[in-house]
Amino acid sequence: MDRVSALDEPLKKTLGPATAKVMAEHLDLHTVGDLLHHYPRRYEERGQLTKLAELPLDEDVTVVAQVADSRVLTFNHGRGQRLEITLTDGSGRLQLVFFGRGIHKPHKELPPGSRGMFAGKVSVFNRKLQLAHPTYVPLGTDSGEDAVDAFAGKLIPIYPACKGLESWKITKAVDAVLPRAAEAVDPLPPALREGRGFGSLPEALLKVHRPETRADIEDARQRLKWDEAFVLQVALARRRHADAQLPAVPRRPVAGGLLDAFDAKLPFTLTDGQQKVTAEIFADLATEHPMHRLLQGEVGSGKTLVALRAMLAVVDAGGQAAMLAPTEVLAQQHHRSVTEMMGELAQGGMLGGAEHATKVVLLTGSMGAAARRRALLDLVTGEAGIVIGTHALIEDKVQFHDLGLVVVDEQHRFGVEQRDALRSKGKQPPHLLVMTATPIPRTVAMTVFGDLETSVLDQLPAGRSPIASHVVPAQDKPHFLARAWERVREEVEKGHQAYVVCPRIGDDEDEKAKKKPAVEAKAAENAEKRPPLAVVEVAEQLTGGPLQGLRIEVLHGRMQPDDKDAVMRRFGAGEVDVLVATTVIEVGVNVPNATAMVIMDADRFGVSQLHQLRGRVGRGSAPGLCLLVTDAPEASPARARLGAVAATLDGFELSRIDLEQRREGDVLGQAQSGVRSSLRMLAVIEDEEVIAAAREEAVAVVGEDPGLAGYPELRTALDTLLDTEREQYLDKG
């Protein structure tokens, strides 16, 4: 058997079909290699030997003692059986308890007078100290001190388990495949391994699964983290290298062209941050290789303006620019704000259009046939310099005259395959600018967006108002919720507008939920059981209750696109006081007159999502107010999370908190890609130094040998850990 296939062998061959089936279905483990990379979550110590007279409560202990007596009792009218064994060591007594089918083996192996070693957690039952279902080893008369010490001091690995496959069963399965670890292919180049003082991969696998000491665990963890970080960074470095070889048309702005005309119209000057980021983008656009840049900026930092100026520069240079938005609401919003900002410069070919004007067209899936035909014609002839659209832009029938720049808004909503489909519409690969308003810690940017150069906009434009955020504990203090609705009324009386956000739209079939008074606080015990609050119900109750008399409308994803657009237009024009909506308003919606937001069931949203939503208010000169309504109890993690959101407006700080609370797999876009994250040991937030160092090493290796011809083991590890599909998905943050 060659070195690779030993770890590729299906588990059913080694463990049997039943165990292999559970591992595949519940833990996504299919091969010997998968199981060897299923690491213990933590390690229990059996504890040093303890005298029975000194047993501490609620602690794991190990005792050596003699069986004084043993008896089987029945309960539940004879249907249940319990084995009680009393131990003594001369200093005190302790009871062992076993239930059900688990009584037969210890009953046979531990007769009165026999000695054994017992490990478990001490509890009290009927005023007696006991160990329930302890681990034990019978000791014969010839068992010496060595056997006792070996048992007592042992580290017990605790594995991530699932129903039908407890940790101890996984331990047995790992024992069966552990000899194969000797055949694991080592991805780290020998020079790197020696330079950093790492042992071999087989040694690390042995130490992580069966450590002798805590130092063994630490050694193994450091080595395995490096493997993950390094293989990941090599995959990204190869992608960057391949992209850098592609040809692209340089796009330089023309003096006295469309961009200059647009800048002359701006009623304000760009912030220092916007100027710096623009310089980085324009330098990339001027090169003969495609730009691959991630623009991350705080909510409201002016990313759209920066992107628009880049698009205008490309139009000046004879190309076209396309902006891809995740939802129709957002595409329409971008189209509206771009055409408003450009004014007559967006009226190319029209009466009243300016000298350098171009056409800005919208393309979405729900457009009528005639409007769609017109838009497609404008694109293929080059009449339209800028197109803004949804996934509809990716369809085969959409052709461009000369696509020079693709701007992807809210990157985390798109897969790399959608991005590439749009890029393939250029005669040569177009430049790419990816935007996100979700601040990304440096390590995540290096891990998830590792194939993109990063620009950060962290300065808010002048005139932006601060946003005050408060948690409203509706369950503990119902009068706080009543006050929240008063505050909304006060904002409307001042001439402003408000959003009320709910997690759910509200379905006709959900009759039970409709019967409940949604806006009022619920009893604590119902908080978990009830469905999340819904737009339709909350709007109804506010209209007839605390916000009676105000102009209230709803907005959600199941409405017809024209209806959604009409509602947003009315809200933007100030004809609606309160918009009750789902998270369709999360990104890009810009209504400067909206100053208040009430987020119902706020604990049902993620930290970054709450930060995004909050960014919809305080966009004008009046201060913003965001109220996070929750039924979560005071001491709960959910309340702590909401407290963190209320306490800071720093998106980077919040994204760290968000990430610490989510699984690493989510970070790598696991949900979108449908493939398992390759990160088992690496923690993206905590292991910043490892990731940064691995990136440097990876860049050096790929720079010197892009095809990895001199690194066959690294190539094998890359194929195993990151098959082609997974490598393609790496940058789906």
Side-chain angles (χ1 to χ4, degrees):
M1 185 179 281
D2 66 40
R3 290 170 60 181
V4 184
S5 59
L7 269 64
D8 282 344
E9 186 177 287
L11 284 171
K12 61 183 169 205
K13 267 188 152 184
T14 313
L15 306 177
T19 304
K21 186 171 186 246
V22 178
M23 285 196 167
E25 287 176 3
H26 296 285
L27 297 172
D28 203 10
L29 305 175
H30 305 273
T31 64
V32 167
D34 288 344
L35 182 53
L36 285 174
H37 289 292
H38 185 69
Y39 307 130
R41 179 181 285 140
R42 58 191 171 85
Y43 301 84
E44 288 286 1
E45 286 188 53
R46 286 207 173 108
Q48 297 311 304
L49 288 179
T50 313
K51 284 186 173 177
L52 295 189
E54 297 165 4
L55 290 178
L57 258 182
D58 286 336
E59 281 193 27
D60 288 296
V61 298
T62 300
V63 297
V64 172
Q66 190 166 358
V67 176
D69 62 58
S70 163
R71 55 206 177 122
V72 175
L73 305 168
T74 59
F75 57 93
N76 201 6
H77 305 296
R79 287 198 292 271
Q81 286 189 310
R82 178 170 83 238
L83 170 65
E84 287 183 0
I85 294 175
T86 307
L87 300 182
T88 177
D89 67 351
S91 73
R93 290 169 87 79
L94 173 68
Q95 196 165 59
L96 310 182
V97 204
F98 299 88
F99 293 96
R101 278 181 256 172
I103 73 169
H104 305 302
K105 193 165 176 268
H107 192 213
K108 189 172 150 196
E109 291 182 342
L110 299 169
S114 62
R115 280 174 81 243
M117 206 161 1
F118 307 88
K121 183 172 267 192
V122 183
S123 59
V124 173
F125 182 72
N126 274 348
R127 291 188 289 197
K128 287 181 185 170
L129 292 180
Q130 73 167 27
L131 301 181
H133 280 280
T135 310
Y136 68 89
V137 173
L139 294 174
T141 48
D142 54 348
S143 300
E145 289 299 311
D146 291 351
V148 174
D149 289 345
F151 177 89
K154 198 169 180 189
L155 289 162
I156 306 165
I158 306 296
Y159 288 92
C162 64
K163 192 177 177 185
L165 206 61
E166 297 90 342
S167 175
W168 64 268
K169 284 185 184 167
I170 297 172
T171 302
K172 284 181 74 170
V174 170
D175 282 339
V177 301
L178 205 49
R180 309 282 181 82
E183 299 168 69
V185 175
D186 202 324
L188 296 191
L192 191 160
R193 210 165 61 229
E194 286 155 24
R196 295 193 174 267
F198 290 135
S200 69
L201 177 57
E203 198 180 302
L205 290 171
L206 208 57
K207 280 182 172 179
V208 81
H209 288 293
R210 299 295 172 262
E212 297 289 325
T213 63
R214 291 273 171 194
D216 280 356
I217 300 168
E218 194 47 39
D219 284 353
R221 289 176 69 86
Q222 286 309 315
R223 165 66 223 246
L224 295 167
K225 278 179 182 183
W226 251 91
D227 283 20
E228 289 176 7
F230 182 68
V231 173
L232 198 55
Q233 292 302 333
V234 166
L236 292 165
R238 291 182 76 201
R239 193 175 164 96
R240 280 197 306 277
H241 186 273
D243 284 340
Q245 308 312 304
L246 296 171
V249 179
R251 310 281 180 174
R252 298 181 182 89
V254 178
L258 183 58
L259 179 62
D260 284 352
F262 175 75
D263 284 349
K265 281 170 54 74
L266 281 179
F268 51 80
T269 54
L270 298 183
T271 65
D272 293 346
Q274 285 172 323
Q275 287 175 0
K276 174 176 162 284
V277 166
T278 298
E280 291 169 349
I281 292 170
F282 281 16
D284 283 357
L285 289 174
T287 65
E288 293 180 357
H289 300 292
M291 165 172 79
H292 290 95
R293 191 165 281 280
L294 169 69
L295 171 57
Q296 52 167 318
E298 272 289 13
V299 177
S301 57
K303 290 181 301 302
T304 311
L305 176 63
V306 168
L308 175 56
R309 292 184 73 248
M311 292 196 283
L312 296 176
V314 168
V315 174
D316 269 348
Q320 292 168 292
M323 180 185 262
L324 184 59
T327 63
E328 293 208 350
V329 167
L330 190 50
Q332 288 163 338
Q333 173 80 28
H334 276 318
H335 181 254
R336 200 157 47 239
S337 57
V338 164
T339 48
E340 281 167 10
M341 282 159 81
M342 288 175 65
E344 69 276 12
L345 295 174
Q347 294 168 3
M350 289 185 252
L351 208 60
E355 183 194 346
H356 301 291
T358 187
K359 241 186 198 175
V360 179
V361 303
L362 175 69
L363 188 65
T364 64
S366 63
M367 283 169 75
R372 191 178 175 76
R373 264 198 309 275
R374 257 196 323 273
L376 291 174
L377 191 63
D378 286 342
L379 289 184
V380 77
T381 59
E383 191 78 19
I386 294 174
V387 59
I388 295 167
T390 55
H391 296 76
L393 283 175
I394 296 166
E395 289 168 15
D396 289 344
K397 57 181 82 151
V398 179
Q399 299 297 323
F400 289 85
H401 177 66
D402 180 15
L403 181 61
L405 171 66
V406 172
V407 178
V408 179
D409 193 25
E410 289 307 314
Q411 155 70 11
H412 63 284
R413 305 290 185 91
F414 292 102
V416 70
E417 75 284 4
Q418 293 162 318
R419 201 175 84 177
D420 284 349
L422 185 52
R423 284 167 62 190
S424 69
K425 292 182 180 292
K427 293 188 177 73
Q428 283 193 327
H431 298 281
L432 174 72
L433 180 65
V434 168
M435 300 198 297
T436 177
T438 307
I440 303 162
R442 175 170 165 262
T443 44
V444 182
M446 281 194 291
T447 310
V448 181
F449 298 102
D451 67 333
L452 303 171
E453 298 300 323
T454 305
S455 295
V456 179
L457 261 182
D458 50 11
Q459 186 184 7
L460 290 184
R464 272 293 161 88
S465 304
I467 304 169
S469 305
H470 303 283
V471 178
V472 177
Q475 184 56 53
D476 307 346
K477 299 177 179 170
H479 60 287
F480 275 38
L481 183 59
R483 176 70 189 122
W485 302 126
E486 283 172 20
R487 284 293 289 113
V488 169
R489 221 175 238 292
E490 286 163 15
E491 288 301 309
V492 172
E493 280 163 10
K494 288 181 198 164
H496 298 307
Q497 292 158 280
Y499 298 98
V500 175
V501 182
C502 304
R504 202 167 54 90
I505 295 170
D507 297 315
D508 290 335
E509 72 254 18
D510 202 344
E511 286 302 324
K512 281 185 222 159
K514 284 199 167 190
K515 287 172 192 163
K516 294 185 183 180
V519 180
E520 292 156 26
K522 311 289 182 299
E525 58 269 26
N526 289 336
E528 281 309 303
K529 293 174 196 166
R530 69 168 170 78
L533 296 180
V535 165
V536 178
E537 297 141 32
V538 168
E540 215 175 273
Q541 286 159 29
L542 291 174
T543 306
L547 301 184
Q548 200 168 2
L550 300 187
R551 296 170 299 176
I552 297 173
E553 293 211 26
V554 299
L555 180 71
H556 56 72
R558 225 177 284 144
M559 289 165 62
Q560 289 301 313
D562 289 350
D563 295 342
K564 283 193 276 197
D565 198 37
V567 169
M568 276 315 299
R569 281 182 186 279
R570 286 198 294 277
F571 190 64
E575 294 162 18
V576 174
D577 297 323
V578 179
L579 186 63
V580 184
T582 56
T583 54
V584 290
I585 60 144
E586 180 186 344
V587 286
V589 173
N590 185 24
V591 180
N593 190 46
T595 55
M597 175 177 286
V598 180
I599 303 178
M600 305 303 290
D601 278 343
D603 49 286
R604 311 243 184 179
F605 298 96
V607 169
S608 293
Q609 204 173 21
L610 290 169
H611 184 57
Q612 285 286 330
L613 287 166
R614 171 170 63 183
R616 301 303 110 215
V617 296
R619 300 179 78 85
S621 53
L625 172 69
C626 179
L627 301 174
L628 307 167
V629 179
T630 178
D631 280 356
E634 193 164 0
S636 64
R639 275 283 280 279
R641 203 169 68 236
L642 296 180
V645 175
T648 179
L649 291 171
D650 181 342
F652 285 93
E653 176 56 32
L654 289 173
S655 69
R656 284 187 81 93
I657 294 167
D658 195 20
L659 197 54
E660 281 160 7
Q661 291 171 345
R662 293 187 351 224
R663 285 170 33 251
E664 301 295 346
D666 298 340
V667 178
L668 292 192
Q670 180 181 358
Q672 293 107 313
S673 71
V675 290
R676 190 175 67 231
S677 157
S678 59
L679 298 193
R680 307 266 166 56
M681 194 62 87
L682 195 70
V684 181
I685 283 288
E686 293 158 28
D687 296 320
E688 183 165 350
E689 286 173 21
V690 174
I691 293 167
R695 183 178 169 119
E696 268 179 44
E697 298 272 13
V699 168
V701 165
V702 172
E704 164 206 316
D705 182 0
L708 304 181
Y711 301 96
E713 294 85 1
L714 178 55
R715 271 215 70 94
T716 303
L718 210 56
D719 295 342
T720 311
L721 265 177
L722 306 164
D723 52 45
T724 314
E725 185 185 17
R726 203 175 298 168
E727 189 168 350
Q728 284 295 310
Y729 280 115
L730 272 178
D731 54 347
K732 285 182 95 174

